[in-house]
Amino acid sequence: MTRRKPIKGEEFLPTREEILAFIAENPGKAGKREIGKAFGVKSGSAKIALKHMLRDMSQEGLLTKSRKKLTKTGDLPSVFVATIFGRDKDGELLGRPVRWEDHKGEPPVVLVVPERHRKDAQPGVGDRALVRLASGESGPEATQLVRVIKLLDHKQSDILGVVRLSGEGRPARLVPIDRKQKELAIDPDGMKDAKDGDLVSVDVGRAGRYGVPMARVRECIGSMNSEKAISMIAIHAHGIPHVFPRSVIEESEAVEEATTKGREDWRELPLITIDPADAKDHDDAVYAQADTSPDNEGGHVVTVAIADVAAYVTPGSALDAEAHLRGNSVYFPDRVIPMLPERISNNLCSLREGENRPAMAVRMIFDQDGKKLSHSFHRVLMRSAAKLSYEQAQAAIDGQTDDKTGPLLEPILTPLWDAYAALKRGRAAREPLELDLPERKILLKPDGTVDRVHVPARLDAHKLIEECMIQANVSAAETLEEKKTPLLYRVHDASSPEKLEALRDFLSTLDIKLPKAGNLRPAHFNGILNRVVDTPHAGIVNEVVLRSQSQAEYSPANIGHFGLNLRRYGHFTSPIRRYADLIVHRGLIRALGFGKDGLPESVEPKLEAIGSEISATERRAMAAERDTKDRLIAHWLVDHVGAQFAGRIAGVVKTGMFVRLDDSGADGFVPASTIGQDYYHYDEKTHALVGRSTGETYQLGDKVQVRLVEAAPLAGALRFEILSDGTKRKPGGPKGRGKPPMRQGKRSSSAQRKGQRKGTR
């Protein structure tokens, strides 16, 4: 070992070995000052000598300087950006530093631990995060443990766009999907056979000091004219995993079909599936009969059977890890990105008519008023007696049977509807939030383009299945609570005071009062909704009430479900497409002794993080589905630029207003700078744009006529020009509304509008 070098009197410089040891013991905390203090370096000459020594060690590659702190070359700084790339065998997140160019060898693997007290989104695989070194066990697959400081946006290189050729001798351009990003030049050597009009993802290379960054094609997704291009934009833009790893596919192909071993044989019970006509998988089946018990006159026994995904997707398997990563299936108009491979989701766990399938079933007993008296869970082997569509089942009940439903009407369908009549009474007594928001469905042509947009009828058949599933979910949560088994609840908090105040302000413009007293219940909101039924304001009031609600999420801590007005609620009914349901199934298997493939105890401490992750993947899926619908409709309306449409104002902001078209449900923007000659300011309380001179007002919910000015398919954006005059505001009260008058001689060209005031200031 090198001896300490004397400087003056009794002062000594530390040896190189001592400096390296000190830095290793104090990762990210050792700068020149800290080293000098630790080794008693006080005099000016000694400090200069130490400075030279540290400089020499840096030049020799022994030390690396970061943020005025020193680390051993090859060591991690105290704070750095990490990319989360996977999980260890216990399901914990693993990451690597984003930058490692200045070090030799492969970047180290770190164990990424979320901060439990943080209320924002938790990290997941594929995220980038600012992390700090922390003490603790890192496990065998990682070198150190880090804690998340902040989740970061996707790196700049994660850009999706369309290739546009620029002519001979000039590099191709990338037109980004996100219009906030600038166009990029594509390196001619990095085209990867991409052609003009192809959708590609690119990496952005470094440029010189005065150079322009050049992009290189990472993946060529295909022509924008292909039927799947629109949904692929959303898949890539939102980072949705859509290709199963080979290990997952191989594992799914290797699983063996379940038998009656360890199960009750329910194959003779005539359970049936009722689903959309185009459904590819069937994960729930139902059956009902009158309760013959003399103590429950007029009561019903309702059975719900759910595909037993836990039989094939076991804890710690590759299938389980991939399902956890995806969190849920994602549904687009032209395709589905499933949570599980097709052999599991569309075959072994699809309750096909006439085929043996494993299931988790709950048998529930209700009285004549729809109150649940008891329930019991069973692990069974079943055989679906029939596959029906919602429309087919409803038609049979309405007296229009076919060859299939005719024999099923009296023994199966009629008892189901009798039971539903009781469940409806129970639901009415419970008074959940009853929003009326018709869901528009996009119908596609064979070439993948939009044929039309329509609103499917809301049938009793839909409501019957929905209420059966809700009761099954409640039963699952009750059983797991009773057995003291951990679970992920589906929780929905009450509205925040800020959202309620905004709702109160809007409703006041319609002469509707929202009680200020605390402890609002769903019934209060239902009273408001009932007041606007069959009025021109019904749609917008339902939507504003929806906006005032909190977002449902998954959590091991139960706060109840406000919207459904239930004290405890857990998702049990769709383990094919939701990871939360699979966790509930495993909890029931463990709690009721149904097998060895139940919920492992090692998962319990991770349930909070898992709940945050799958809540985030759910929000990601919703955003991707919404973006895809917007882009499809924008593509559809490209040929309708200049056409006029009827709609309603669906949102108001300082810079303009959003208008939703009546026929298609498409949303577009009207910039405030294009609304006539007046100066419009934003009235936040009334959700309105108000003309300063004229008092002309455009308010949330108003009926308007608009002209389509621009359709941007890549961004899924529409721009409208307002054709209707606003209404005159009445001081001290709500403004009148009626049929919107049309603007006469509306100036529409950009040249004519040059004199208009811009913005809302």
Side-chain angles (χ1 to χ4, degrees), residues 79-82 128-132 147-152:
V79 176
F80 61 95
V81 177
R128 294 165 69 243
L130 185 67
V131 299
R132 59 178 172 83
R147 291 193 178 275
V148 174
I149 298 174
K150 182 181 180 182
L151 281 178
L152 303 176

Side-chain angles (χ1 to χ4, degrees), residues 163 165 186-196 198-200 217 219-222:
V163 174
L165 299 183
I186 303 177
D187 188 338
D189 296 328
M191 286 286 290
K192 280 194 175 178
D193 298 325
K195 300 180 292 296
D196 186 60
D198 279 353
L199 182 68
V200 299
V217 174
E219 181 184 1
C220 184
I221 298 167

Side-chain angles (χ1 to χ4, degrees), residues 33 92 167 346 377 395 448 459 525 538 547 553 583 684 719:
R33 180 180 298 177
E92 300 284 5
N346 288 354
F377 280 91
L459 306 173
F525 294 101
R547 292 180 193 174
E553 58 186 6
I583 289 177
E684 184 176 6
R719 182 164 62 87

Side-chain angles (χ1 to χ4, degrees), residues 59 90 95 152 199 283 301 363 378 436 463 548 594 702:
Q59 290 176 348
D90 294 322
L152 303 176
L199 182 68
D283 55 358
V301 180
R363 182 173 279 154
H378 309 261
D436 182 16
K463 299 174 185 177
S548 73
F594 283 159
D702 283 355

Side-chain angles (χ1 to χ4, degrees), residues 353-489:
E353 181 179 330
E355 296 186 23
N356 295 344
R357 289 292 182 264
M360 291 283 291
V362 56
R363 182 173 279 154
M364 301 170 287
I365 299 177
F366 297 89
D367 67 14
Q368 61 182 350
D369 293 321
K371 180 182 178 181
K372 183 159 67 70
L373 303 178
S374 64
H375 68 265
S376 59
F377 280 91
H378 309 261
R379 204 171 193 186
V380 306
L381 191 73
M382 60 160 284
R383 183 189 294 132
S384 172
K387 178 187 78 170
L388 302 180
S389 69
Y390 288 116
E391 294 78 10
Q392 193 177 15
Q394 187 67 55
I397 287 295
D398 293 341
Q400 299 174 358
T401 58
D402 56 28
D403 291 343
K404 190 169 191 177
T405 57
L408 301 175
L409 181 61
E410 290 304 319
I412 297 176
L413 292 177
T414 298
L416 265 174
W417 256 258
D418 289 344
Y420 172 57
L423 293 181
K424 272 201 303 185
R425 291 191 285 273
R427 181 183 177 95
R430 194 176 79 239
E431 291 190 288
L433 183 60
E434 300 284 7
L435 290 167
D436 182 16
L437 291 167
E439 183 178 353
R440 290 176 170 84
K441 186 173 182 179
I442 297 177
L443 298 181
L444 301 178
K445 298 176 184 177
D447 64 357
T449 58
V450 176
D451 179 23
R452 59 191 175 92
V453 180
H454 81 124
V455 179
R458 178 76 168 154
L459 306 173
D460 277 349
H462 294 102
K463 299 174 185 177
L464 180 154
I465 295 298
E466 179 183 277
E467 195 59 29
C468 287
M469 298 305 117
I470 288 173
Q471 293 298 334
N473 288 335
V474 170
S475 299
E478 289 176 346
T479 292
L480 291 174
E481 268 196 10
E482 180 187 351
K483 298 294 183 179
K484 296 181 169 44
T485 303
L487 75 147
L488 282 177
Y489 293 93

